Amino acid sequence: MRKEILLAAISCLYELGYHRASIKKITEKTKFSQGALQHHFHTKEDLMVFVLERLLAKSVRLTLEWLNEIGEDKSRISELTIKWWTNQANSPEYLAMMEILVAARTEDALRRRIKPTFDNFARVTDDRILAIFENDNISHAKARTLITASRQMMTGLITSDGLFMNEEEKQAYIEHWATFLQQLFEQKVQETM
């Protein structure tokens, strides 16, 4: 039941946005009654916290899988960037997550409830990515800045530029960013030799 509710909530968030994705609209996309849904999630906030927790957990799992796949092969950082964009950031699930995060800007109770989950997501993924650069004379501050800039840039492509750019333009931008990151890394490695 929870999986069906999760999928319905993601669909509503993606199609309607946070404020129009009501419990009633979400219920209409399931085979359950509104009462049954509210038995599990008393409020929209409860449901949105559940959705965000599941989406961030999936994001962490996928990111760690991809990082394990590339191992310590830093020459694949650009590949990882493109893979993260194509398979995760540019998806209805990620846009649904962005809807919840934007709503949390003005809904204090929602923000307080999701902050620990979001902080854990950022810490786990950032720490694992930082570990790749451990022995390359790239400071943690610079590496963390690149990680944060990459995440924010992809979020911006989805939420604002996504309104005005087509898919090919966004993909080209990501590919240029991935190449830039790779060149930056390779330049830094050569400087240390």
Side-chain angles (χ1 to χ4, degrees):
M1 177 177 184
R2 286 179 173 253
K3 184 175 183 176
E4 185 174 341
I5 293 169
L6 174 67
L7 294 174
I10 291 167
S11 177
C12 279
L13 287 163
Y14 178 72
E15 293 169 11
L16 305 172
Y18 180 85
H19 292 290
R20 289 182 29 220
S22 65
I23 292 285
K24 182 178 190 250
K25 296 257 188 218
I26 293 167
T27 302
E28 290 171 1
K29 289 189 173 279
T30 70
K31 61 183 178 201
F32 308 109
S33 68
Q34 188 169 335
L37 190 143
Q38 287 188 293
H39 174 73
H40 294 279
F41 304 101
H42 299 292
T43 66
K44 180 179 177 180
E45 180 183 304
D46 293 335
L47 177 56
M48 294 300 115
V49 169
F50 170 77
V51 170
L52 186 75
E53 287 172 349
R54 294 310 173 274
L55 292 176
L56 287 174
K58 181 178 180 180
S59 181
V60 167
R61 183 177 43 76
L62 288 173
T63 302
L64 294 178
E65 283 175 15
W66 297 331
L67 287 167
N68 288 336
E69 183 182 305
I70 70 166
E72 299 303 314
D73 185 359
K74 295 164 194 73
S75 67
R76 296 176 67 192
I77 292 299
S78 62
E79 177 187 332
L80 174 66
T81 303
I82 293 169
K83 192 173 206 173
W84 196 84
W85 167 259
T86 304
N87 297 322
Q88 191 171 15
N90 195 25
S91 71
E93 289 177 338
Y94 198 82
L95 187 58
M97 185 170 58
M98 290 298 100
E99 288 288 336
I100 297 169
L101 292 173
V102 169
R105 184 183 70 79
T106 57
E107 294 189 18
D108 292 337
L110 178 62
R111 182 175 52 249
R112 281 191 300 276
R113 288 184 65 190
I114 66 173
K115 185 178 180 343
T117 302
F118 188 82
D119 288 349
N120 183 61
F121 155 77
R123 182 187 50 75
V124 169
T125 55
D126 290 4
D127 287 352
R128 179 59 181 92
I129 294 169
L130 286 169
I132 292 174
F133 297 99
E134 201 73 56
N135 300 317
D136 294 318
N137 295 328
I138 296 176
S139 73
H140 273 257
K142 286 181 183 175
R144 190 171 298 279
T145 298
L146 288 173
I147 294 166
T148 301
S150 294
R151 184 172 37 243
Q152 297 304 325
M153 186 260 316
M154 289 183 198
T155 300
L157 280 175
I158 293 165
T159 57
S160 62
D161 294 331
L163 297 171
F164 308 107
M165 294 173 79
N166 64 39
E167 291 303 314
E168 293 80 25
E169 291 171 319
K170 289 188 280 186
Q171 186 67 33
Y173 197 87
I174 290 298
E175 289 172 7
H176 289 301
W177 179 253
T179 301
F180 169 76
L181 288 175
Q182 194 65 49
Q183 290 170 342
L184 188 67
F185 171 76
E186 289 169 0
Q187 176 186 6
K188 189 66 178 175
V189 168
Q190 288 184 4
E191 287 175 7
T192 61
M193 295 181 151

